[in-house]
Amino acid sequence: MIRPATEADLLPASQVCARAFDSDNLFGELIHKYRRQYPEDVHIYFLRRFLSKFPKPDNTFLVSTDENDVIVGLAHWCRFRAGEGDDEQPIGDHGLPPNRAADPENEDIIERSMKYAEHFWSDKRAESWYLSCLAVDPSTQGKGVGKPLVAWGFEQAAKEGVCVSVISAKGKQPFYVKCGFGPEKVGNACDGEGNPLLGIEGGDIFFHDI
């Protein structure tokens, strides 16, 4: 079942993200260099960001639950609007302890890289529902949890007559194409001189234009 997330859902949802991205080259290996020493800390990275975005307009968090109402999937959708920046504020710690699993030099690497890809969301693509995060618990991957979470954004975009967009993690491009993105990428979020993500695999940017 898919439903809107409550603030109380963000903790278990962040733990799903920690498990889902454990072996990912970016969120696992690069950002969480010390995740084997402190596996219990990895979710703090996601929880801080979710708590920062949850109260803000144009941010929608969805969770997927199993038959026992246990959260097994999460989608964070952002509504991008023409002429409006994201008005990024410092993420803050939200009263959470330090994330010992993270490499301090890379913990904010995503935020530092954003300016190198923002030009893709311009002109006819300035209005978009952007899939900021999609995570499915490894225990339920391949069981149809992720696609309905993606479909929600497509339905919203169709109602509003705007496009849908996503930045794919390494190896997830075929999944997003099956969901209706692309089929060709429009660029890569890791490109650009000075981009701290330069050379990192993954980062393909896909749109579905209405």
Side-chain angles (χ1 to χ4, degrees):
M1 183 182 84
I2 292 176
R3 60 172 174 79
T6 66
E7 188 168 352
D9 291 328
L10 299 182
L11 173 57
S14 69
Q15 293 166 337
V16 167
C17 290
R19 293 190 291 272
F21 290 107
D22 179 69
S23 60
D24 181 71
N25 64 318
L26 176 57
F27 292 103
E29 296 172 6
L30 183 65
I31 294 177
H32 288 99
K33 182 178 179 180
Y34 306 107
R35 67 193 185 287
R36 297 294 176 249
Q37 294 95 315
Y38 303 103
E40 68 278 11
D41 281 16
V42 176
H43 77 281
I44 295 171
Y45 172 90
F46 300 98
L47 185 55
R48 279 185 182 144
R49 285 154 178 80
F50 294 165
L51 289 170
S52 295
K53 294 289 188 179
F54 187 78
K56 293 184 177 181
D58 290 333
N59 285 265
T60 299
F61 287 82
L62 305 171
V63 291
S64 179
T65 58
D66 65 12
E67 63 275 9
N68 298 312
D69 201 34
V70 174
I71 292 174
V72 294
L74 164 113
H76 172 202
W77 283 96
C78 299
R79 178 62 164 87
F80 289 174
R81 300 183 186 275
E84 293 185 12
D86 192 31
D87 190 27
E88 284 291 337
Q89 300 294 324
I91 292 171
D93 60 20
H94 296 277
L96 298 170
N99 181 3
R100 297 169 297 175
D103 181 347
E105 293 185 1
N106 289 323
E107 191 168 7
D108 67 344
I109 196 169
I110 299 292
E111 288 77 19
R112 289 187 283 118
S113 72
M114 288 178 177
K115 64 183 180 181
Y116 295 94
E118 61 186 10
H119 64 279
F120 288 105
W121 285 267
S122 60
D123 299 326
K124 67 178 183 179
R125 289 171 171 160
E127 297 276 344
S128 174
W129 274 99
Y130 168 65
L131 182 55
S132 176
C133 181
L134 176 71
V136 175
D137 195 281
S139 66
T140 59
Q141 286 183 2
K143 297 182 179 179
V145 174
K147 285 186 178 180
L149 291 167
V150 176
W152 183 92
F154 276 73
E155 292 167 3
Q156 291 299 120
K159 291 177 185 176
E160 299 176 29
V162 301
C163 65
V164 194
S165 55
V166 68
I167 299 176
S168 174
K170 177 185 176 182
K172 300 302 181 183
Q173 298 92 329
F175 168 78
Y176 287 117
V177 171
K178 287 181 180 178
C179 287
F181 287 101
E184 300 298 327
K185 67 178 182 180
V186 302
N188 189 283
C190 301
D191 290 343
E193 184 178 353
N195 189 334
L197 291 178
L198 189 64
I200 300 297
E201 293 185 81
D204 286 341
I205 301 170
F206 291 95
F207 280 82
H208 174 77
D209 296 312
I210 302 298

